[in-house]
Amino acid sequence: MLFIVAALALMGILLGAAAHTPLPLFLAASAAIGVWLMAFFIRERTGHKGS
């Protein structure tokens, strides 16, 4: 239960910060995070085939 409360509080802080950033900066940061997550996903999928 404490984990859920902490996660909701963190999401509120991040969404509040995102609401005050300019749209081009927000979109650039979102794209960078998306690319990083996709690279991590591909690395994880291809790296564990031998295990």
Side-chain angles (χ1 to χ4, degrees), residues 1-45:
M1 183 68 174
L2 185 60
F3 176 75
I4 294 171
V5 171
L8 287 173
L10 184 61
M11 283 186 353
I13 292 169
L14 291 176
L15 288 174
H20 294 286
T21 59
L23 185 61
L25 178 64
F26 176 73
L27 292 176
S30 298
I33 291 170
V35 167
W36 179 78
L37 288 173
M38 187 59 68
F40 179 76
F41 172 75
I42 292 170
R43 188 184 64 167
E44 287 295 312
R45 289 292 263 180

